[in-house]
Amino acid sequence: MTDQQLFQCACEALKMAYTPYSHFNVGACILATDGRTFQGCNVENASYGATICAERTAVVTAVTQGAQAFSAIAVVGEDAPAWPCGVCRQVLNEFSADMRVICGAAKTGEYQVVKLSELLPHSFGPHDLQQ
C-alpha cells in the first residue's frame, strides 16, 4: 500500500469522528506488516480525559484483530495536519519506533512523512524492559 493510499484511508476514517466539543475531526489508518489496514477516528467524551485519539483507536482495533506489527500510520486532520499527541506517540512506539508516520490535512491533500523515532527521540519502549 502506498503512502497516498494510506492517507486516503485515513481521510475516510475522518468522516466517522465523534467530536461534539472540539469539532476537530481526526482520522487514522495503520498498516500492519502483513498488509492489513485498520482505521480509527477520534471519539470525544464530555469527561475530556476519556477522549480517545484516532491513532489509538486504530491501534486497538488492529490488536483486537490479531495485528501487532506495523510499518506505517496515516493521521489526517480536516483543515490542518493532526500530528500524534505524546500519548499516541508512546503507544505507537510500543509496536515500532521505525514506522512511517504520514500526517496531513484532508482538505489540501498534502502530507509529510517522518519516522516515529523522529517524533519521539530517546523513547522508552519494550527494549528498555528486556533483560
Side-chain angles (χ1 to χ4, degrees):
M1 173 169 275
T2 68
D3 290 351
Q4 179 65 40
Q5 290 170 320
L6 203 59
F7 178 82
Q8 288 303 320
C9 183
C11 288
E12 292 173 19
L14 172 90
K15 298 171 187 172
M16 300 304 293
Y18 176 76
T19 60
Y21 309 107
S22 74
H23 307 288
F24 190 84
N25 294 355
V26 179
C29 187
I30 194 163
L31 176 63
T33 56
D34 65 9
R36 292 183 291 162
T37 58
F38 303 91
Q39 293 175 303
C41 62
N42 55 328
V43 179
E44 292 182 346
N45 189 282
S47 172
Y48 297 128
T51 294
I52 185 166
C53 300
E55 301 92 308
R56 285 182 282 146
T57 302
V59 167
V60 169
T61 300
V63 170
T64 61
Q65 294 183 39
Q68 295 184 6
F70 307 105
S71 58
I73 187 167
V75 185
V76 176
E78 215 160 12
D79 298 319
W83 289 98
C85 72
V87 172
C88 288
R89 292 175 191 201
Q90 184 64 44
V91 169
L92 293 170
N93 185 69
E94 180 72 17
F95 299 96
S96 173
D98 291 327
M99 81 170 67
R100 293 183 331 279
V101 178
I102 302 147
C103 187
K107 273 197 178 166
T108 66
E110 296 177 2
Y111 58 86
Q112 294 179 312
V113 182
V114 299
K115 278 192 169 185
L116 179 60
S117 58
E118 293 176 57
L119 297 178
L120 191 64
H122 311 291
S123 66
F124 181 86
H127 63 278
D128 295 299
L129 297 175
Q130 295 174 0
Q131 297 181 16

